[in-house]
Amino acid sequence: MDRDALATVIGRLSYLQGSFVLRSGRTASEYFDKYRFESDPVVLGAIAEMASPLIPEDTQVLAGLELGGVPIATALSLSSKLPAVFVRKEAKAYGTRRLAEGMDVAGKRVLVVEDVITSGGQVALSTESLRERGGIVTDVFCVVDREEGGAENLASHGLRLRALFRGAELRVATVA
């Protein structure tokens, strides 16, 4: 599947119009329902194949953010052969009590993986938590950048955003 075809498939599967409350509490008239493309094995595989070249060369660990970043990080891990960790919004109070489940990120170059980025607020918080645990984080990957200030917000936290698609590309693809 080429890039344009993948954009069309993702756009048609996930781009919704209506009234949606975002994580920030803001209401939006459009929404990218990530679960519609993350739950399709053919689409998820194509995303991983196309995204693998966007992984910085020195990356040692992929960090999938709860919940939507986990399937993307898993698919990228299978495609790139890099290990993945799964990052909670907060450490659980039982079991291992870890924020990042899987290997230790201390001293490792970590690529944060998310599905859709709007403001980047949760990504910035999770990145800070990974850095507090010794992870070296300079880059973030997402499938869809909604182009609503996320890249700029992340840049203010010393992070480069690598997006497979911009929201505008997927909006256009739905009418193609």
Side-chain angles (χ1 to χ4, degrees):
M1 187 177 316
D2 70 15
R3 191 171 191 288
D4 290 339
L6 184 57
T8 299
V9 169
I10 291 173
R12 290 186 178 159
L13 280 173
S14 68
Y15 180 66
L16 307 174
Q17 293 180 305
S19 181
F20 306 93
V21 178
L22 303 177
R23 180 190 331 250
S24 65
R26 186 174 64 81
T27 301
S29 60
E30 62 181 20
Y31 186 74
F32 291 97
D33 186 347
K34 60 205 170 224
Y35 300 113
R36 291 184 175 194
F37 62 78
E38 290 178 344
S39 61
D40 184 310
V42 173
V43 176
L44 188 58
I47 288 168
E49 182 179 318
M50 199 158 296
S52 288
L54 297 177
I55 298 172
E57 198 170 293
D58 60 351
T59 300
Q60 296 172 290
V61 182
L62 305 169
L65 302 187
E66 179 186 356
L67 175 69
V70 169
I72 303 297
T74 302
L76 277 173
S77 177
L78 289 168
S79 175
S80 68
K81 306 302 183 221
L82 289 168
V85 296
F86 308 117
V87 182
R88 299 176 183 281
K89 291 181 181 115
E90 57 186 57
K92 59 185 180 175
Y94 57 91
T96 62
R97 298 181 182 179
R98 296 181 59 140
L99 178 87
E101 297 288 357
M103 69 186 301
D104 188 4
V105 299
K108 304 270 193 303
R109 304 259 336 148
V110 179
L111 175 65
V112 171
V113 178
E114 183 63 298
D115 46 20
V116 178
I117 290 183
T118 302
S119 69
Q122 184 59 51
V123 173
L125 291 171
S126 294
T127 295
E128 185 56 36
S129 294
L130 289 167
R131 287 173 171 165
E132 288 170 0
R133 286 156 177 80
I136 304 161
V137 187
T138 58
D139 293 89
V140 174
F141 168 79
C142 72
V143 177
V144 182
D145 173 9
R146 286 178 51 104
E147 300 176 288
E148 295 186 20
E152 296 79 8
N153 182 31
L154 294 174
S156 74
H157 292 274
L159 297 165
R160 286 181 296 265
L161 179 60
R162 297 165 180 261
L164 187 56
F165 295 106
R166 295 180 340 271
E169 293 176 278
L170 300 181
R171 288 181 205 100
V172 168
T174 62
V175 295

